[in-house]
PDB file of all heavy atoms in Angstrom:
ATOM      1  N   VAL A 178       6.833  15.922  -1.313  1.00 95.00           N
ATOM      2  CA  VAL A 178       7.198  15.696   0.086  1.00 95.00           C
ATOM      3  C   VAL A 178       6.490  14.466   0.630  1.00 95.00           C
ATOM      4  O   VAL A 178       7.099  13.612   1.296  1.00 95.00           O
ATOM      5  CB  VAL A 178       6.865  16.943   0.933  1.00 95.00           C
ATOM      6  CG1 VAL A 178       7.022  16.629   2.418  1.00 95.00           C
ATOM      7  CG2 VAL A 178       7.765  18.106   0.541  1.00 95.00           C
ATOM      8  N   LEU A 179       5.199  14.344   0.347  1.00 94.00           N
ATOM      9  CA  LEU A 179       4.443  13.189   0.834  1.00 94.00           C
ATOM     10  C   LEU A 179       4.946  11.889   0.211  1.00 94.00           C
ATOM     11  O   LEU A 179       5.032  10.851   0.885  1.00 94.00           O
ATOM     12  CB  LEU A 179       2.950  13.369   0.528  1.00 94.00           C
ATOM     13  CG  LEU A 179       2.234  14.457   1.333  1.00 94.00           C
ATOM     14  CD1 LEU A 179       0.791  14.594   0.871  1.00 94.00           C
ATOM     15  CD2 LEU A 179       2.285  14.140   2.832  1.00 94.00           C
ATOM     16  N   ALA A 180       5.287  11.945  -1.080  1.00 94.00           N
ATOM     17  CA  ALA A 180       5.804  10.750  -1.754  1.00 94.00           C
ATOM     18  C   ALA A 180       7.090  10.269  -1.097  1.00 94.00           C
ATOM     19  O   ALA A 180       7.301   9.061  -0.909  1.00 94.00           O
ATOM     20  CB  ALA A 180       6.031  11.050  -3.233  1.00 94.00           C
ATOM     21  N   LEU A 181       7.956  11.204  -0.742  1.00 92.00           N
ATOM     22  CA  LEU A 181       9.216  10.833  -0.092  1.00 92.00           C
ATOM     23  C   LEU A 181       8.974  10.322   1.332  1.00 92.00           C
ATOM     24  O   LEU A 181       9.667   9.407   1.801  1.00 92.00           O
ATOM     25  CB  LEU A 181      10.157  12.033  -0.062  1.00 92.00           C
ATOM     26  CG  LEU A 181      10.754  12.439  -1.421  1.00 92.00           C
ATOM     27  CD1 LEU A 181      11.437  13.789  -1.317  1.00 92.00           C
ATOM     28  CD2 LEU A 181      11.727  11.378  -1.916  1.00 92.00           C
ATOM     29  N   LEU A 182       7.998  10.886   2.009  1.00 92.00           N
ATOM     30  CA  LEU A 182       7.723  10.478   3.393  1.00 92.00           C
ATOM     31  C   LEU A 182       7.178   9.058   3.476  1.00 92.00           C
ATOM     32  O   LEU A 182       7.528   8.299   4.387  1.00 92.00           O
ATOM     33  CB  LEU A 182       6.740  11.453   4.049  1.00 92.00           C
ATOM     34  CG  LEU A 182       7.300  12.840   4.409  1.00 92.00           C
ATOM     35  CD1 LEU A 182       6.188  13.727   4.951  1.00 92.00           C
ATOM     36  CD2 LEU A 182       8.431  12.723   5.430  1.00 92.00           C
ATOM     37  N   VAL A 183       6.315   8.688   2.527  1.00 90.00           N
ATOM     38  CA  VAL A 183       5.681   7.363   2.599  1.00 90.00           C
ATOM     39  C   VAL A 183       6.452   6.301   1.824  1.00 90.00           C
ATOM     40  O   VAL A 183       6.140   5.111   1.928  1.00 90.00           O
ATOM     41  CB  VAL A 183       4.227   7.416   2.089  1.00 90.00           C
ATOM     42  CG1 VAL A 183       3.413   8.429   2.872  1.00 90.00           C
ATOM     43  CG2 VAL A 183       4.175   7.736   0.595  1.00 90.00           C
ATOM     44  N   ALA A 184       7.471   6.708   1.077  1.00 86.00           N
ATOM     45  CA  ALA A 184       8.182   5.758   0.212  1.00 86.00           C
ATOM     46  C   ALA A 184       9.030   4.781   1.024  1.00 86.00           C
ATOM     47  O   ALA A 184       9.608   5.134   2.055  1.00 86.00           O
ATOM     48  CB  ALA A 184       9.067   6.512  -0.769  1.00 86.00           C
ATOM     49  N   ARG A 185       9.103   3.563   0.532  1.00 84.00           N
ATOM     50  CA  ARG A 185      10.025   2.583   1.100  1.00 84.00           C
ATOM     51  C   ARG A 185      11.428   2.790   0.529  1.00 84.00           C
ATOM     52  O   ARG A 185      12.418   2.541   1.204  1.00 84.00           O
ATOM     53  CB  ARG A 185       9.537   1.165   0.782  1.00 84.00           C
ATOM     54  CG  ARG A 185       8.213   0.793   1.455  1.00 84.00           C
ATOM     55  CD  ARG A 185       7.832  -0.622   1.110  1.00 84.00           C
ATOM     56  NE  ARG A 185       6.529  -0.984   1.664  1.00 84.00           N
ATOM     57  CZ  ARG A 185       6.323  -1.392   2.910  1.00 84.00           C
ATOM     58  NH1 ARG A 185       7.349  -1.502   3.740  1.00 84.00           N
ATOM     59  NH2 ARG A 185       5.107  -1.701   3.327  1.00 84.00           N
ATOM     60  N   ARG A 186      11.481   3.202  -0.723  1.00 86.00           N
ATOM     61  CA  ARG A 186      12.759   3.426  -1.398  1.00 86.00           C
ATOM     62  C   ARG A 186      12.824   4.883  -1.847  1.00 86.00           C
ATOM     63  O   ARG A 186      12.469   5.214  -2.976  1.00 86.00           O
ATOM     64  CB  ARG A 186      12.906   2.480  -2.591  1.00 86.00           C
ATOM     65  CG  ARG A 186      12.880   1.005  -2.192  1.00 86.00           C
ATOM     66  CD  ARG A 186      12.869   0.117  -3.406  1.00 86.00           C
ATOM     67  NE  ARG A 186      12.892  -1.304  -3.026  1.00 86.00           N
ATOM     68  CZ  ARG A 186      12.823  -2.308  -3.899  1.00 86.00           C
ATOM     69  NH1 ARG A 186      12.719  -2.041  -5.211  1.00 86.00           N
ATOM     70  NH2 ARG A 186      12.854  -3.562  -3.479  1.00 86.00           N
ATOM     71  N   ARG A 187      13.276   5.723  -0.960  1.00 86.00           N
ATOM     72  CA  ARG A 187      13.271   7.158  -1.230  1.00 86.00           C
ATOM     73  C   ARG A 187      14.213   7.540  -2.365  1.00 86.00           C
ATOM     74  O   ARG A 187      13.968   8.497  -3.094  1.00 86.00           O
ATOM     75  CB  ARG A 187      13.639   7.926   0.048  1.00 86.00           C
ATOM     76  CG  ARG A 187      12.557   7.838   1.114  1.00 86.00           C
ATOM     77  CD  ARG A 187      12.810   8.815   2.246  1.00 86.00           C
ATOM     78  NE  ARG A 187      11.709   8.798   3.209  1.00 86.00           N
ATOM     79  CZ  ARG A 187      11.657   8.029   4.277  1.00 86.00           C
ATOM     80  NH1 ARG A 187      12.675   7.199   4.539  1.00 86.00           N
ATOM     81  NH2 ARG A 187      10.626   8.077   5.102  1.00 86.00           N
ATOM     82  N   GLY A 188      15.308   6.792  -2.511  1.00 89.00           N
ATOM     83  CA  GLY A 188      16.232   7.084  -3.599  1.00 89.00           C
ATOM     84  C   GLY A 188      15.557   6.928  -4.950  1.00 89.00           C
ATOM     85  O   GLY A 188      15.751   7.742  -5.864  1.00 89.00           O
ATOM     86  N   THR A 189      14.756   5.876  -5.082  1.00 90.00           N
ATOM     87  CA  THR A 189      14.037   5.639  -6.338  1.00 90.00           C
ATOM     88  C   THR A 189      13.041   6.756  -6.607  1.00 90.00           C
ATOM     89  O   THR A 189      12.943   7.264  -7.734  1.00 90.00           O
ATOM     90  CB  THR A 189      13.305   4.286  -6.285  1.00 90.00           C
ATOM     91  OG1 THR A 189      14.260   3.250  -6.065  1.00 90.00           O
ATOM     92  CG2 THR A 189      12.550   4.039  -7.573  1.00 90.00           C
ATOM     93  N   VAL A 190      12.298   7.138  -5.569  1.00 92.00           N
ATOM     94  CA  VAL A 190      11.322   8.220  -5.724  1.00 92.00           C
ATOM     95  C   VAL A 190      12.028   9.524  -6.107  1.00 92.00           C
ATOM     96  O   VAL A 190      11.571  10.254  -6.992  1.00 92.00           O
ATOM     97  CB  VAL A 190      10.520   8.409  -4.425  1.00 92.00           C
ATOM     98  CG1 VAL A 190       9.667   9.679  -4.480  1.00 92.00           C
ATOM     99  CG2 VAL A 190       9.633   7.200  -4.179  1.00 92.00           C
TER     100      VAL A 190
END
Side-chain angles (χ1 to χ4, degrees):
V178 170
L179 290 176
L181 289 169
L182 287 176
V183 303
R185 294 181 184 277
R186 299 174 178 177
R187 291 191 175 91
T189 301
V190 170

